Amino acid sequence: MKRIITIQHTESEHHLNGMVGSWTDWELSKRGRHEAQQITTNLTNEFDLNDFMIYSSDLTRAVQTAQPLATKLGKEIMLEKRLRERNLGECCGQSVAWLNQHKLKDEETIDDRLFPSAESRRESFMRLQSFFDELIENPKDVVLVAHGDILTQFYALFLNQKMEILTTLRFQGLAGGVSVFITGYWFLFIFPKLIHL
């Protein structure tokens, strides 16, 4: 049995200012920092996490979400670039309005790109798959802090789906959403409002 807890990073400045997240390195908002503290309190009340490893995307908003939990448990955060959100290329540093005005086309398949230098969903899935395979082989329980789009892909991998499923399936998460996976039992518990318990 292996337990995997995923946390979608909490409210970030880009959620408030109309800018694109992607590989732009936004910090958490004041509310997001409070939510990260609440997640820590509620998770540690709900689970014994002393033997868990903590992995985080290396982008600031994910690291800041993971930091209160790491501090409370006295653990190091393992920074993992493969957990980064999808790279949207030249759209990074631009507004969502700019994205909508300048994108090449909508993404209808996993090979479509919003911009010439952007990652396709196939490319980010393949990037994530190497990390996922390593994670599953390691018997340690883990907490993962990442981003909405990449967590959709993580869930598809966990459910043993081929990457093409991403053309028709999306797991919609919320900022600060928490999910718990237990291998060997096929259980998935979703706590989208764990920050508010």
Side-chain angles (χ1 to χ4, degrees):
M1 182 179 79
K2 178 185 181 74
R3 294 174 294 172
I4 302 170
I5 298 174
T6 65
I7 304 172
Q8 185 171 327
H9 73 77
T10 57
E11 185 182 85
S12 165
E13 292 293 343
H14 83 279
H15 292 141
L16 304 175
N17 62 16
M19 299 295 284
V20 169
S22 185
W23 281 21
T24 308
D25 209 11
W26 295 103
E27 295 199 3
L28 293 182
S29 67
K30 181 178 179 181
R31 176 180 173 179
R33 290 190 295 275
H34 174 73
E35 290 172 341
Q37 291 286 352
Q38 288 299 110
I39 288 170
T40 294
T41 299
N42 292 321
L43 270 180
T44 54
N45 286 341
E46 189 75 25
F47 300 101
D48 178 359
L49 302 177
N50 288 314
D51 293 330
F52 278 66
M53 297 177 67
I54 302 174
Y55 285 92
S56 174
S57 157
D58 63 343
L59 294 174
T60 299
R61 58 195 183 270
V63 175
Q64 288 179 338
T65 301
Q67 192 60 62
L69 182 61
T71 299
K72 183 160 188 176
L73 296 175
K75 295 199 175 273
E76 177 185 358
I77 300 172
M78 310 297 288
L79 299 181
E80 181 52 69
K81 190 172 182 177
R82 291 173 291 179
L83 288 173
R84 278 188 175 195
E85 186 59 283
R86 201 153 45 99
N87 184 359
L88 296 183
E90 53 263 56
C91 184
C92 292
Q94 303 291 342
S95 68
V96 173
W98 188 94
L99 180 155
N100 289 327
Q101 291 171 355
H102 294 89
K103 65 185 173 183
L104 294 174
K105 61 181 284 187
D106 290 329
E107 296 174 309
E108 296 176 3
T109 75
I110 62 169
D111 293 307
D112 291 334
R113 298 171 192 272
L114 290 173
F115 299 94
S117 63
E119 271 185 308
S120 68
R121 283 178 287 171
R122 181 184 298 276
E123 289 169 328
S124 59
F125 189 95
M126 290 171 65
R127 161 171 55 96
L128 180 63
Q129 185 158 24
S130 65
F131 171 74
F132 179 85
D133 292 344
E134 293 168 19
L135 187 75
I136 293 300
E137 287 178 14
N138 185 334
K140 293 284 282 183
D141 294 330
V142 296
V143 173
L144 301 179
V145 183
H147 312 264
D149 194 36
I150 210 71
L151 286 175
T152 286
Q153 297 176 28
F154 182 88
Y155 302 153
L157 280 163
F158 186 84
L159 295 172
N160 202 28
Q161 296 295 310
K162 295 187 185 218
M163 66 181 78
E164 287 74 17
I165 196 71
L166 298 174
T167 297
T168 57
L169 177 69
R170 177 161 174 82
F171 299 93
Q172 187 63 45
L174 301 172
V178 177
S179 301
V180 180
F181 298 81
I182 303 174
T183 63
Y185 290 91
W186 293 100
F187 289 150
L188 165 61
F189 302 99
I190 301 177
F191 301 98
K193 298 199 177 210
L194 193 60
I195 58 175
H196 303 297
L197 291 178

